[in-house]
Amino acid sequence: MSRLLQQLVSRQAEQRPDQTAIVYHQEKMTYGELEEGSNRLAHLLKEAGCAKGDRVCFLIPKTPAAIMTILGILKADCVYVPLDTSSPAPRLEKIIDACTPRFIIAGGQVISMLDQLMADEARRKGTAIGWIGDGDAQGSNFKARFTREDLNGYSSAQLDYRNDTTDAAHILFTSGSTGVPKGVVITHANVISFIDWAVGYFGTKPADKISAHPPLHFDLSTFDIYGTLSSGAQLHIVPTELNLAPQKLAAFIRESELTQWFSVPSVLNFMAKADVVKLNDFPSLERLLWCGEVFPTPPLIHWMQRLPHVKFTNLYGPTEATIASSYYSVPQCPADEHDQIPIGTACDGEELIVLDETLKPVPQGEIGDLFISGVGLSPGYWQDPEKTGAAFLQLPGTSDPADRIYKTGDLARVGEDGLVYYLGRADSQIKSRGYRIELGEIETALNALNQTEECAIVAINTAGFEGVAICCAYVPLKEEDTTPAKLRSALSKVLPNYMLPARWMSFERLPKNANGKIDRPKLREEFQNDGN
Ligand code: AMP
C-alpha cells in the first residue's frame, strides 16, 4: 500500500486524538485538532480548484498553524512550498514565479510583504491568497480568498488521496549560484524512507518531546515534523527570538523537558561559548543531533562533558538527498580537540560513494568527490533539466535507477575504520549559521546593483558564531560615492540577512591570476590578514 506523509500523522490522530501534538509558547494543538483543521483546509482547497500536483506556497511563521497548513496542502493532493517570512520580497518573487502556485496561504506579520508580492498583476491573476492568521486580511494589492474562520464551514472528514508515494510532497528552494534559487523536489517516499530509518534508529516513541528548531524552508525541519508526528510524540516549536539568547535556549530545553534536540551546530556552538549548559543539565534529554555543517570538536567535547547521559549523533546530508544520508553516533567524548568526527555510515537504503573525476572509486584513504545514491535522492530540480542533469548522474556502466548518483560538491575520504570523513567543499558553496549559501548568488545580486566596477565575494573561516565571514571585495564606480554601508543597504533589499557580507574592502582593481580571472585565494588572504 502506498504511504503518504499525511497518513503517518492521521494514524497517530486516530490512536491518540487528545494527546498534544504541537506546543508553541502557551499554545497547544492536539492530534485531533491538527487532523480536523488540516482536513478542513484540504476540503476548502479542493473546492477552490486545487488539484493533484498544484503548488501551494505558505508564508507563515513557524507555528502550529503553519504545520496544520502543510498537512492540509498535502491532503489536497498538492505540493507545498515554504516561503521564508524573513526573506526580502524580490527573492520570494523569484520562487513564486518559478513554482507558479495556485494559492499562497499566509498568516502572521506578513501583510506588507503580501502587498509587495501581489503588486504584480500577472502574479495576482495566477495566485490567490488564503489567510490562516487571526481576523481578516486585506492589503492594497490583495484580498484574501478565504480566512481561518471560513475553515469552520468545511468538513473535517478524511479525504481520498490521489497522490502516490513517488509524487512530490514539497519543493524546497536553496541558494543558486547563478542568482536564482533552485527548487529541490522532494517526494513523499524520499521523506518516509528517512523517517522510517530515523524513528527506528533513535527509537522515537509517544512519550518523546522533540525540538523544532530549523526554519520550515530548511529541509531539516521535515525530520522534526514527520519524525515526531508519525510517532505520536510532542513537537516543541523553538521560538525564533530565542536564537539570540543562549541562556533562554537552555531554559527552553530544560523547562520543556525535551528528550530530543536537533539543530545546526552553530546554535550548539553559540550555547557552548556562552557556557549556559550545566553539568548533568537537561535530565530528560536522551539525544542531541546535529546536521548541516561541521560541529567543531572543542564545543562537542564541551557538550559531551556536561551531558554524560545523552547520546550525540552527527547527521550528514544535502537537501537533494533528503534530510540526512549518513550518521555517526559519537561513542565517547573525544580525547583530543583535534579529533575529527566522521560523517559515518549510510542510513538504510542510502550509499555514500567517493569517486575521482572520471567517476571511478578512489582507493580507501584518498580524497575524492562525495556522491550519494539511494532512497533519499530527489527526482531533481523543479523544471530545470539542465541543472538536474549536471548534478544527478548515472553511475558509469549502469542503467538501473538505483545507480543514479547525486554529486554533493563535498570532498571526502573513507577512513581505515570504514567510516566516511567530510573534508570541505569543492566549490564556492558555504554554510553560515547553518544556512546554505552560494557565493555566486550574492555576487550576481551585487552586480545587478550596478554600483561597482568590479566585485567578488569570498568567504573566510572565523572563530565567531557564524564560523565563516562573507567578504566583499569591490572597485567603486568612479563617478559614484560607493560605500559599504550603501552597498549593504541596497543588497539587503534583495537578499536575506544571512547572505549579507560582513567584511568589505575597496580596491583600485581586483587582483587577477595568470588566466586573467579574479584571484580569489589572494582576496581570501587579504581579508584574513585584514582581520588580524
Ligand atoms: P543543505 O542542503 O542545506 O542540507 O546543505 C548540504 C551541505 O551541508 C552538504 O553538502 C555539506 O556541505 C554540508 N553538511 C551537511 N551536513 C553536514 C555534516 N554533518 N558535516 C559537515 N557538513 C555537512
Side-chain angles (χ1 to χ4, degrees), residues 400-423:
D400 189 336
D403 292 317
R404 191 168 167 259
I405 50 175
Y406 169 68
K407 184 170 188 183
T408 63
D410 293 326
L411 298 170
R413 72 178 165 81
V414 179
E416 277 178 14
D417 47 14
L419 300 170
V420 182
Y421 288 77
Y422 168 86
L423 300 169

Short mmCIF file of all heavy atoms in Angstrom, two decimals, residues 400-423:
data_model
loop_
_atom_site.label_atom_id
_atom_site.label_comp_id
_atom_site.label_asym_id
_atom_site.label_seq_id
_atom_site.Cartn_x
_atom_site.Cartn_y
_atom_site.Cartn_z
N ASP A 400 20.47 0.83 -14.08
CA ASP A 400 19.45 0.68 -13.05
C ASP A 400 19.23 2.04 -12.34
O ASP A 400 20.21 2.68 -11.95
CB ASP A 400 19.98 -0.36 -12.03
CG ASP A 400 18.91 -0.75 -11.02
OD1 ASP A 400 17.98 0.05 -10.82
OD2 ASP A 400 19.04 -1.85 -10.45
N PRO A 401 17.96 2.47 -12.19
CA PRO A 401 17.72 3.74 -11.48
C PRO A 401 18.35 3.75 -10.08
O PRO A 401 18.66 4.82 -9.54
CB PRO A 401 16.20 3.83 -11.40
CG PRO A 401 15.68 2.87 -12.39
CD PRO A 401 16.73 1.84 -12.67
N ALA A 402 18.54 2.59 -9.50
CA ALA A 402 19.16 2.54 -8.16
C ALA A 402 20.61 3.01 -8.20
O ALA A 402 21.19 3.35 -7.17
CB ALA A 402 19.09 1.12 -7.61
N ASP A 403 21.20 3.05 -9.40
CA ASP A 403 22.59 3.51 -9.53
C ASP A 403 22.67 4.96 -9.96
O ASP A 403 23.70 5.43 -10.45
CB ASP A 403 23.34 2.62 -10.52
CG ASP A 403 23.53 1.22 -9.99
OD1 ASP A 403 23.87 1.09 -8.79
OD2 ASP A 403 23.30 0.25 -10.73
N ARG A 404 21.58 5.68 -9.77
CA ARG A 404 21.59 7.13 -10.00
C ARG A 404 22.34 7.74 -8.82
O ARG A 404 22.14 7.33 -7.67
CB ARG A 404 20.13 7.59 -10.01
CG ARG A 404 19.89 8.97 -10.48
CD ARG A 404 18.38 9.13 -10.69
NE ARG A 404 18.04 10.52 -10.85
CZ ARG A 404 17.53 11.25 -9.87
NH1 ARG A 404 17.27 10.73 -8.70
NH2 ARG A 404 17.27 12.53 -10.07
N ILE A 405 23.24 8.67 -9.11
CA ILE A 405 24.04 9.25 -8.02
C ILE A 405 23.92 10.77 -8.03
O ILE A 405 23.76 11.37 -9.09
CB ILE A 405 25.53 8.83 -8.12
CG1 ILE A 405 26.08 9.09 -9.53
CG2 ILE A 405 25.72 7.36 -7.74
CD1 ILE A 405 27.58 8.81 -9.66
N TYR A 406 24.01 11.36 -6.85
CA TYR A 406 23.96 12.82 -6.72
C TYR A 406 25.34 13.33 -6.33
O TYR A 406 25.95 12.84 -5.36
CB TYR A 406 22.93 13.25 -5.66
CG TYR A 406 23.04 14.71 -5.33
CD1 TYR A 406 22.69 15.68 -6.27
CD2 TYR A 406 23.53 15.13 -4.10
CE1 TYR A 406 22.84 17.03 -5.99
CE2 TYR A 406 23.67 16.48 -3.80
CZ TYR A 406 23.32 17.43 -4.76
OH TYR A 406 23.46 18.76 -4.49
N LYS A 407 25.81 14.30 -7.10
CA LYS A 407 27.12 14.89 -6.81
C LYS A 407 26.95 15.98 -5.76
O LYS A 407 26.35 17.02 -6.03
CB LYS A 407 27.72 15.47 -8.10
CG LYS A 407 29.10 16.00 -7.91
CD LYS A 407 29.77 16.35 -9.21
CE LYS A 407 31.22 16.68 -8.87
NZ LYS A 407 32.01 17.09 -9.94
N THR A 408 27.46 15.72 -4.57
CA THR A 408 27.18 16.64 -3.45
C THR A 408 27.99 17.93 -3.53
O THR A 408 27.62 18.93 -2.94
CB THR A 408 27.53 15.98 -2.09
OG1 THR A 408 28.94 15.71 -2.08
CG2 THR A 408 26.74 14.70 -1.87
N GLY A 409 29.16 17.88 -4.22
CA GLY A 409 30.07 19.03 -4.19
C GLY A 409 30.96 18.99 -2.96
O GLY A 409 31.79 19.86 -2.75
N ASP A 410 30.79 17.96 -2.14
CA ASP A 410 31.63 17.81 -0.95
C ASP A 410 32.83 16.93 -1.27
O ASP A 410 32.76 16.05 -2.14
CB ASP A 410 30.83 17.14 0.19
CG ASP A 410 29.73 18.03 0.70
OD1 ASP A 410 29.91 19.26 0.72
OD2 ASP A 410 28.66 17.50 1.07
N LEU A 411 33.92 17.16 -0.55
CA LEU A 411 35.10 16.31 -0.66
C LEU A 411 35.12 15.39 0.55
O LEU A 411 34.74 15.80 1.65
CB LEU A 411 36.37 17.17 -0.67
CG LEU A 411 36.47 18.16 -1.85
CD1 LEU A 411 37.62 19.12 -1.65
CD2 LEU A 411 36.61 17.40 -3.16
N ALA A 412 35.54 14.14 0.32
CA ALA A 412 35.51 13.18 1.43
C ALA A 412 36.55 12.09 1.22
O ALA A 412 37.16 11.98 0.13
CB ALA A 412 34.12 12.55 1.52
N ARG A 413 36.77 11.34 2.26
CA ARG A 413 37.59 10.12 2.14
C ARG A 413 36.99 9.06 3.05
O ARG A 413 36.29 9.39 4.02
CB ARG A 413 39.05 10.39 2.51
CG ARG A 413 39.29 10.61 3.96
CD ARG A 413 40.76 10.83 4.29
NE ARG A 413 40.88 11.37 5.64
CZ ARG A 413 40.84 10.65 6.75
NH1 ARG A 413 40.71 9.34 6.69
NH2 ARG A 413 40.91 11.22 7.93
N VAL A 414 37.29 7.80 2.72
CA VAL A 414 36.86 6.71 3.59
C VAL A 414 38.06 6.34 4.46
O VAL A 414 39.15 6.07 3.95
CB VAL A 414 36.39 5.49 2.77
CG1 VAL A 414 35.95 4.36 3.69
CG2 VAL A 414 35.24 5.89 1.84
N GLY A 415 37.88 6.36 5.76
CA GLY A 415 38.99 6.08 6.68
C GLY A 415 39.26 4.58 6.80
O GLY A 415 38.48 3.76 6.30
N GLU A 416 40.34 4.26 7.49
CA GLU A 416 40.66 2.84 7.71
C GLU A 416 39.57 2.14 8.51
O GLU A 416 39.40 0.93 8.43
CB GLU A 416 41.97 2.73 8.50
CG GLU A 416 43.18 2.85 7.60
CD GLU A 416 44.47 2.79 8.37
OE1 GLU A 416 44.44 2.39 9.56
OE2 GLU A 416 45.50 3.17 7.79
N ASP A 417 38.82 2.94 9.29
CA ASP A 417 37.72 2.38 10.09
C ASP A 417 36.48 2.13 9.24
O ASP A 417 35.43 1.72 9.76
CB ASP A 417 37.39 3.34 11.24
CG ASP A 417 37.28 4.79 10.78
OD1 ASP A 417 37.20 5.01 9.55
OD2 ASP A 417 37.27 5.70 11.62
N GLY A 418 36.58 2.41 7.91
CA GLY A 418 35.43 2.21 7.02
C GLY A 418 34.41 3.34 7.08
O GLY A 418 33.39 3.29 6.40
N LEU A 419 34.68 4.34 7.90
CA LEU A 419 33.73 5.45 8.05
C LEU A 419 34.10 6.57 7.07
O LEU A 419 35.27 6.71 6.68
CB LEU A 419 33.78 6.00 9.48
CG LEU A 419 33.43 4.98 10.57
CD1 LEU A 419 33.73 5.53 11.95
CD2 LEU A 419 31.94 4.60 10.46
N VAL A 420 33.09 7.36 6.69
CA VAL A 420 33.34 8.45 5.75
C VAL A 420 33.66 9.73 6.54
O VAL A 420 33.01 10.04 7.55
CB VAL A 420 32.12 8.67 4.82
CG1 VAL A 420 32.40 9.77 3.81
CG2 VAL A 420 31.77 7.37 4.10
N TYR A 421 34.68 10.46 6.05
CA TYR A 421 35.10 11.73 6.67
C TYR A 421 34.86 12.86 5.68
O TYR A 421 35.23 12.74 4.51
CB TYR A 421 36.57 11.66 7.06
CG TYR A 421 36.82 10.76 8.25
CD1 TYR A 421 36.83 9.37 8.10
CD2 TYR A 421 36.99 11.30 9.53
CE1 TYR A 421 37.02 8.54 9.20
CE2 TYR A 421 37.18 10.48 10.62
CZ TYR A 421 37.19 9.10 10.46
OH TYR A 421 37.37 8.29 11.54
N TYR A 422 34.25 13.94 6.18
CA TYR A 422 33.97 15.12 5.34
C TYR A 422 35.19 16.03 5.35
O TYR A 422 35.75 16.32 6.42
CB TYR A 422 32.74 15.84 5.93
CG TYR A 422 32.48 17.21 5.38
CD1 TYR A 422 31.74 17.37 4.21
CD2 TYR A 422 32.95 18.35 6.03
CE1 TYR A 422 31.49 18.63 3.71
CE2 TYR A 422 32.69 19.62 5.53
CZ TYR A 422 31.96 19.75 4.36
OH TYR A 422 31.71 21.01 3.86
N LEU A 423 35.59 16.50 4.15
CA LEU A 423 36.83 17.30 4.09
C LEU A 423 36.62 18.68 3.49
O LEU A 423 37.58 19.31 3.05
CB LEU A 423 37.87 16.54 3.26
CG LEU A 423 38.26 15.16 3.84
CD1 LEU A 423 39.06 14.37 2.84
CD2 LEU A 423 39.03 15.30 5.13
#
